[in-house]
Amino acid sequence: MTTVSPHLVRRLAAEAVGTTALAAVVVGSGIQAAALSPDGGIRFLANVGASALALTVLIELLGPVSGGHFNPLVTAGAWWAGRRDGSGPALRELAWYAAAQTAGAVTGTGLANVMFGRPFAEPSGHGRDGTALWLGEAVATGTLLLLVAGLVRSGRGRLVPAAVGLWVGAACWATSSGGFANPAVTLGRALTDSYTGIAPGSVPGFVLAQLAGAAVGVTLAAVLFGRSRAARTTAVPGDARDLVAG
């Protein structure tokens, strides 16, 4: 029988809470913006700004506990980078992290729906399909993984919370897909038929594009930055700011 240590439970709780809050802000700010302004640009600015700020604060707050990943691909990147020296999460922990993050994303989406008088879960009707959007997702996700790993490999891991928030804000504006860059939150957003929703049928294409982009981003980080300075230090297990080269 598989047991879960109290330390891992605390980390999973932090991931679940952080992803819940993130999804609630992403979805809730979209609903609020759509209700307050008929201008598409203002709506998008409000939604993106709130989401980027929330992500920065949540990573800073919960990073020391769980790594502040809130994203299965960031967790996978942390495992890959630290797989040899044990500085990242263990392979067996990846599924636990992904489950906590996905549960948090679904809960946060439902919470936002209910706060604005909607059903907890309502399948989205916003189709988001096509090569251009998938390419946008790959670019947004790949650069996110490159950013996190590159900063840590170059000894600047402390900048990760702010840098991730800034990149997410930029990617939302600069990519055709809107820069979801997170499989867990993408799945959660399939459960709101509001401004930030994505049709369930569009989710697989987005997730596949995110996986492809993440693989490219991690590979580029290894090529461009080499072995991390953090590889010779003791890291907080799974902390996105302590990704090291494998």
Side-chain angles (χ1 to χ4, degrees):
M1 180 177 179
T2 302
T3 59
V4 180
S5 70
H7 178 57
L8 179 57
V9 169
R10 184 167 60 250
R11 288 158 58 195
L12 295 176
E15 286 296 302
V17 169
T19 313
T20 295
L22 175 61
V25 170
V26 170
V27 175
S29 63
I31 297 173
Q32 185 80 287
L36 293 177
S37 175
D39 186 285
I42 293 177
R43 290 179 178 183
F44 196 60
L45 178 63
N47 180 226
V48 171
S51 302
L53 289 172
L55 183 56
T56 301
V57 170
L58 290 168
I59 294 174
E60 187 64 43
L61 173 65
L62 297 173
V65 180
S66 66
H69 299 173
F70 319 134
N71 185 332
L73 295 178
V74 173
T75 304
W79 164 74
W80 179 259
R83 69 192 185 283
R84 293 180 181 173
D85 60 14
S87 60
L91 179 59
R92 63 182 175 79
E93 295 174 351
L94 290 184
W96 286 109
Y97 261 67
Q101 292 155 352
T102 301
V106 170
T107 301
T109 298
L111 179 61
N113 282 336
V114 172
M115 283 195 294
F116 288 92
R118 294 169 172 267
F120 181 87
E122 47 175 6
S124 176
H126 300 287
R128 302 175 189 264
D129 298 290
T131 303
L133 270 65
W134 298 333
L135 177 60
E137 271 305 281
V139 170
T141 310
T143 308
L144 173 64
L145 270 293
L146 171 61
L147 173 70
V148 174
L151 283 174
V152 175
R153 286 170 182 266
S154 60
R156 295 171 291 164
R158 189 61 223 169
L159 298 177
V160 167
V164 168
L166 289 171
W167 170 247
V168 167
C172 289
W173 279 98
T175 61
S176 56
S177 65
F180 285 43
N182 185 328
V185 175
T186 299
L187 180 61
R189 288 168 67 166
L191 300 177
T192 181
D193 194 26
S194 62
Y195 182 74
T196 56
I198 177 173
S202 298
V203 170
F206 262 53
V207 171
L208 287 174
Q210 291 162 356
L211 289 169
V216 173
V218 169
T219 301
L220 283 175
V223 171
L224 296 174
F225 295 96
R227 188 169 178 80
S228 172
R229 298 177 188 177
R232 296 182 296 276
T233 66
T234 300
V236 175
D239 195 330
R241 292 169 295 182
D242 290 318
L243 281 170
V244 296

